[in-house]
Protein backbone atom coordinates (compact mmCIF):
# COMPACT_ATOMS: atom_id res chain seq x y z
CA UNK A 1 0.00 0.00 0.00
CA UNK A 2 0.99 3.67 -0.16
CA UNK A 3 2.13 3.80 3.47
CA UNK A 4 4.45 0.81 3.04
CA UNK A 5 5.86 2.31 -0.17
CA UNK A 6 6.51 5.56 1.69
CA UNK A 7 8.31 3.71 4.48
CA UNK A 8 10.47 1.88 1.94
CA UNK A 9 11.26 5.09 0.05
CA UNK A 10 12.25 6.80 3.30
CA UNK A 11 14.47 3.85 4.23
CA UNK A 12 16.22 4.06 0.85
CA UNK A 13 16.74 7.81 1.31
CA UNK A 14 18.08 7.31 4.85
CA UNK A 15 20.44 4.43 4.06
CA UNK A 16 21.49 5.20 0.50
CA UNK A 17 19.96 1.99 -0.81
CA UNK A 18 20.02 -1.72 -0.21
CA UNK A 19 23.60 -2.39 -1.25
CA UNK A 20 25.01 0.45 0.84
CA UNK A 21 22.91 -0.64 3.82
CA UNK A 22 24.44 -4.11 3.64
CA UNK A 23 27.96 -2.67 3.60
CA UNK A 24 28.85 -2.95 -0.09
CA UNK A 25 31.66 -0.55 -1.02
CA UNK A 26 30.73 2.50 -3.10
CA UNK A 27 32.94 1.36 -5.97
CA UNK A 28 30.97 -1.91 -6.22
CA UNK A 29 27.63 -0.10 -5.96
CA UNK A 30 28.66 2.09 -8.91
CA UNK A 31 29.87 -0.94 -10.88
CA UNK A 32 26.64 -2.84 -10.30
CA UNK A 33 24.57 0.23 -11.18
CA UNK A 34 26.51 0.68 -14.43
CA UNK A 35 25.48 -2.82 -15.54
CA UNK A 36 21.85 -1.70 -15.47
CA UNK A 37 22.25 1.85 -16.81
CA UNK A 38 20.83 2.03 -20.29
CA UNK A 39 19.43 -1.51 -20.25
CA UNK A 40 17.18 -2.03 -23.26
CA UNK A 41 14.90 -4.63 -24.75
CA UNK A 42 12.59 -5.18 -27.70
CA UNK A 43 9.16 -6.75 -27.81
CA UNK A 44 8.55 -9.55 -30.31
CA UNK A 45 7.33 -8.18 -33.61
CA UNK A 46 8.40 -4.61 -32.81
CA UNK A 47 11.50 -3.03 -34.30
CA UNK A 48 11.80 -0.26 -31.68
CA UNK A 49 13.88 -0.48 -28.53
CA UNK A 50 12.65 0.23 -25.02
CA UNK A 51 15.14 1.67 -22.55
CA UNK A 52 14.65 0.67 -18.91
CA UNK A 53 15.44 3.40 -16.41
CA UNK A 54 14.84 1.28 -13.30
CA UNK A 55 14.69 -2.34 -12.26
CA UNK A 56 16.72 -5.40 -13.05
CA UNK A 57 18.03 -6.71 -16.32
CA UNK A 58 16.68 -10.07 -17.46
CA UNK A 59 19.24 -12.82 -16.88
CA UNK A 60 21.45 -10.71 -14.59
CA UNK A 61 23.39 -12.96 -12.22
CA UNK A 62 22.85 -10.47 -9.39
CA UNK A 63 19.07 -10.43 -9.85
CA UNK A 64 18.36 -13.37 -7.53
CA UNK A 65 20.67 -11.98 -4.85
CA UNK A 66 19.08 -8.52 -4.97
CA UNK A 67 15.60 -10.06 -4.92
CA UNK A 68 16.45 -12.16 -1.86
CA UNK A 69 17.96 -9.17 -0.06
CA UNK A 70 14.87 -7.06 -0.73
CA UNK A 71 12.54 -9.90 0.27
CA UNK A 72 14.47 -10.47 3.50
CA UNK A 73 14.33 -6.75 4.25
CA UNK A 74 10.56 -6.68 3.67
CA UNK A 75 10.03 -9.70 5.91
CA UNK A 76 12.16 -8.14 8.63
CA UNK A 77 10.17 -4.88 8.40
CA UNK A 78 6.93 -6.88 8.63
CA UNK A 79 8.21 -8.88 11.59
CA UNK A 80 9.24 -5.72 13.46
CA UNK A 81 5.88 -4.08 12.76
CA UNK A 82 3.91 -7.13 13.92
CA UNK A 83 5.98 -7.32 17.08
CA UNK A 84 5.53 -3.58 17.63
CA UNK A 85 1.74 -3.86 17.56
CA UNK A 86 1.94 -7.09 19.58
CA UNK A 87 0.16 -8.99 16.83
CA UNK A 88 2.51 -11.95 16.98
CA UNK A 89 4.95 -13.50 19.39
CA UNK A 90 7.90 -15.29 17.89
CA UNK A 91 8.80 -18.58 19.54
CA UNK A 92 12.19 -20.01 18.63
CA UNK A 93 12.71 -23.72 18.46
CA UNK A 94 15.76 -25.90 18.13
CA UNK A 95 17.21 -26.24 14.62
CA UNK A 96 16.25 -29.41 12.77
CA UNK A 97 19.89 -30.33 12.14
Amino acid sequence: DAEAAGVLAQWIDDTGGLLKATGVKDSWVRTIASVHDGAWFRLPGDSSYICSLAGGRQGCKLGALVFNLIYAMALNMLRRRLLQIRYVTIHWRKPLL
Side-chain angles (χ1 to χ4, degrees), residues 6-88:
V7 169
L8 182 57
Q10 186 61 53
W11 181 86
I12 291 170
D13 286 343
D14 292 345
T15 62
L18 179 66
L19 295 176
K20 284 189 177 198
T22 56
V24 175
K25 293 181 181 180
D26 286 342
S27 59
W28 279 99
V29 172
R30 287 191 305 272
T31 300
I32 292 167
S34 72
V35 169
H36 297 278
D37 286 346
W40 57 270
F41 60 94
R42 285 186 353 185
L43 298 174
D46 191 352
S47 61
S48 60
Y49 293 90
I50 299 170
C51 184
S52 174
L53 301 177
R57 183 180 259 182
Q58 184 66 25
C60 176
K61 302 298 184 199
L62 296 171
L65 174 65
V66 171
F67 174 82
N68 286 326
L69 286 171
I70 291 170
Y71 192 66
M73 183 186 77
L75 288 176
N76 195 30
M77 289 171 68
L78 175 63
R79 178 185 156 275
R80 280 191 302 229
R81 179 69 180 131
L82 291 174
L83 287 171
Q84 182 182 30
I85 64 173
R86 298 180 187 272
Y87 189 75
V88 297

